[in-house]
Amino acid sequence: MIPSRYLTTCDDDNSRVAMILGGDQRPLRGESTILLAPKIKLSSGYEMPVLGFGTIYFQLRGFQCTSAVHCAVETGFRHFDTAYYYENEKDVGEALRTQIKMGNISRENIFLTTKLWNTHHDPRDVRRICEQQLKLLGFTYIDLYLLHFPVGYKHMCDEILKPMSDGKLQTTDVDYIDTWNAMEELVKLGMVRSIGLSNFNMEQVQRVIQCSSSKPVVNQVEVWPGFLQKDLVDYCRYNGIVVTAYSPFGQPNRENHSPTYFFSEGMKRLVKKYKKTSGQIVLRFLVDYGVVPIPKAANPLHISQNLNIFDFKLDDSDTRALLGIKPKKRIVKYDIVKEHPFYPFERDEESQYQDVNNLQNVPLAREQRESTLNDDDQRGE
């Protein structure tokens, strides 16, 4: 659970939970205020909301992306996560800048994360590509800049994200420590405020700490009920590194009821008990677990639901049930580079996994699945 001393809070007569009532909100849809997510202080001294808006989505580009970001801002999201690899930085930036011009938000109240892609690990490319990303976003600085993956890919041109030859992905032997050192220079130049990692394992995080002058403020990894990565999360917490959780729902699939915890009788019971959706219950659980989930959504209803999780708290018994779900296999594997020495994941994992857990694996009724499932979480990074 995130220690309360790290959360920025504000008392409010209508709620007993910690929350931010930012100074930039305007009345929307008849509401007198917008309730925003609490914030956690990073080791760099800056604050980050404990819930973010993810933008990786197969078709979350162009008008669909800008519309989703507009909706997220007006709903109350202030933490936005994108990446060079998602190819939507321009869309995200355009929507945020428009909201600033409309007076709905200020730049200082936005926490914007983007990432350095694998084809730009060469230290000579880091500043150049970051400048390009700043132009795409339309801002003068990035709040959090992450090293997307420890394995570097061969750079052919900026537009080729996965360089292939004879059916094989072309990688490099660039040491991620050298890349990290180049990212540290971006902080000194004022181009980014904080830097962190993504998809790094415990040993790799430790090596970054030992071999550089600054430690990461964040490690963004896959976390969801059934794949909580407790050892990694505990290690990061011990070192003052915040864990951001992608794929926070485990990529629910209605057709095969996977992962089954999401569609189980146990989850159905929680939905009735708390009068919240399955997605809201999971997000509340993850925030209390001490990670920062970044669910993605394009549906305005789901966007609103994802933020509306700070007016309830799970009972200890329900939290224990979610903590006790039998461990599953990871979803995002990057198997195509599993032979690289910097590959961060276990190499003997099977491609398929079974969901067996203590939430009673009986699927929800069809109409209840459709009313409670946040089905925007189709891919997770």
Side-chain angles (χ1 to χ4, degrees):
M1 186 170 182
I2 297 176
S4 59
R5 66 180 180 274
Y6 291 130
L7 295 178
T8 304
T9 63
C10 182
D11 293 331
D12 182 72
D13 293 338
N14 297 322
S15 177
R16 294 177 294 177
V17 301
M19 64 181 58
I20 297 297
L21 295 178
D24 61 319
Q25 65 270 61
R26 297 172 58 185
L28 294 172
R29 301 183 181 91
E31 297 292 333
S32 58
T33 60
I34 298 176
L35 301 184
L36 310 181
K39 294 180 180 180
I40 186 170
K41 182 168 285 189
L42 303 174
S43 61
S44 60
Y46 295 100
E47 292 182 324
M48 177 176 74
V50 300
L51 181 67
F53 184 78
T55 63
I56 180 171
Y57 194 55
F58 287 123
Q59 292 154 352
L60 197 59
R61 297 171 185 164
F63 177 75
Q64 187 181 31
C65 180
T66 56
S67 297
V69 174
H70 278 299
C71 180
V73 171
E74 294 174 4
T75 298
F77 276 97
R78 296 296 181 262
H79 175 183
F80 295 87
D81 183 275
T82 182
Y84 188 89
Y85 179 65
Y86 305 166
E87 299 184 288
N88 61 8
E89 289 173 307
K90 183 177 180 181
D91 303 318
V92 171
E94 178 184 332
L96 291 176
R97 294 195 315 274
T98 299
Q99 287 290 326
I100 292 172
K101 291 178 181 177
M102 293 169 61
N104 290 338
I105 195 172
S106 66
R107 174 64 184 95
E108 286 300 312
N109 285 304
I110 296 171
F111 190 91
L112 180 60
T113 300
T114 192
K115 309 175 187 74
L116 178 76
W117 182 234
N118 306 345
T119 52
H120 302 125
H121 277 209
D122 189 317
R124 295 170 296 183
D125 285 335
V126 172
R127 178 175 177 178
R128 176 187 66 81
I129 204 65
C130 185
E131 289 174 342
Q132 182 175 323
Q133 290 174 273
L134 283 168
K135 290 179 181 178
L136 288 170
L137 292 164
F139 292 123
T140 57
Y141 68 90
I142 295 164
D143 293 279
L144 178 61
Y145 197 49
L146 303 181
L147 182 51
H148 205 147
F149 196 67
V151 178
Y153 297 171
K154 181 179 179 181
H155 180 265
M156 300 178 70
C157 68
D158 291 341
E159 289 71 31
I160 298 178
L161 303 179
K162 291 185 176 181
M164 306 294 292
S165 178
D166 297 326
K168 294 183 62 177
L169 183 64
Q170 301 300 293
T171 61
T172 71
D173 59 359
V174 176
D175 193 330
Y176 56 81
I177 295 297
D178 295 329
T179 310
W180 177 260
N181 291 337
M183 290 173 62
E184 289 180 309
E185 293 300 314
L186 302 178
V187 178
K188 296 176 182 178
L189 292 169
M191 298 169 64
V192 304
R193 288 187 166 182
S194 304
I195 52 177
L197 307 171
S198 179
N199 296 298
F200 275 59
N201 63 33
M202 198 182 310
E203 292 76 15
Q204 291 169 333
V205 174
Q206 180 65 24
R207 184 165 177 255
V208 171
I209 294 174
Q210 292 175 336
C211 299
S212 59
S213 60
S214 62
K215 66 180 179 181
V217 303
V218 161
N219 188 19
Q220 184 177 126
V221 297
E222 179 182 336
V223 177
W224 47 279
F227 193 74
L228 293 176
Q229 301 214 66
K230 184 178 185 302
D231 289 344
L232 178 59
V233 171
D234 287 347
Y235 171 81
C236 288
R237 183 182 294 119
Y238 176 80
N239 284 280
I241 299 170
V242 174
V243 171
T244 302
Y246 68 74
S247 289
F249 306 121
Q251 299 182 9
N253 187 303
R254 292 177 178 177
E255 294 183 0
N256 61 16
H257 296 168
S258 172
T260 51
Y261 90 87
F262 203 85
F263 303 93
S264 68
E265 278 295 316
M267 183 60 76
K268 177 181 176 181
R269 176 182 61 81
L270 297 183
V271 167
K272 289 183 176 180
K273 177 178 180 179
Y274 294 103
K275 296 181 174 56
K276 293 289 184 178
T277 68
S278 303
Q280 288 172 315
I281 289 167
V282 171
L283 292 176
R284 179 72 224 199
F285 164 74
L286 290 176
V287 168
D288 289 341
Y289 179 61
V291 300
V292 177
I294 48 170
K296 58 187 175 295
N299 184 310
L301 175 61
H302 295 161
I303 292 173
S304 177
Q305 288 174 341
N306 286 348
L307 188 62
N308 186 24
I309 64 168
F310 298 107
D311 60 349
F312 79 106
K313 185 173 176 59
L314 297 173
D315 293 345
D316 289 344
S317 60
D318 297 326
T319 298
R320 286 195 298 271
L322 288 165
L323 284 170
I325 293 175
K326 185 177 179 180
K328 312 301 185 299
K329 302 295 185 180
R330 76 169 62 248
I331 297 170
V332 179
K333 298 178 183 294
Y334 286 89
D335 277 343
I336 196 168
V337 293
K338 66 181 180 180
E339 301 306 320
H340 194 282
F342 292 152
Y343 183 71
F345 308 142
E346 301 81 357
R347 292 183 172 84
D348 57 351
E349 291 184 328
E350 298 177 359
S351 59
Q352 301 295 325
Y353 61 86
Q354 295 180 350
D355 280 299
V356 181
N357 58 68
N358 64 349
L359 285 181
Q360 302 180 30
N361 302 310
V362 179
L364 293 172
R366 178 182 178 87
E367 62 274 11
Q368 289 174 317
R369 294 200 311 271
E370 292 179 350
S371 65
T372 63
L373 172 63
N374 187 322
D375 60 356
D376 287 302
D377 189 63
Q378 297 299 316
R379 183 168 183 242
E381 194 190 349

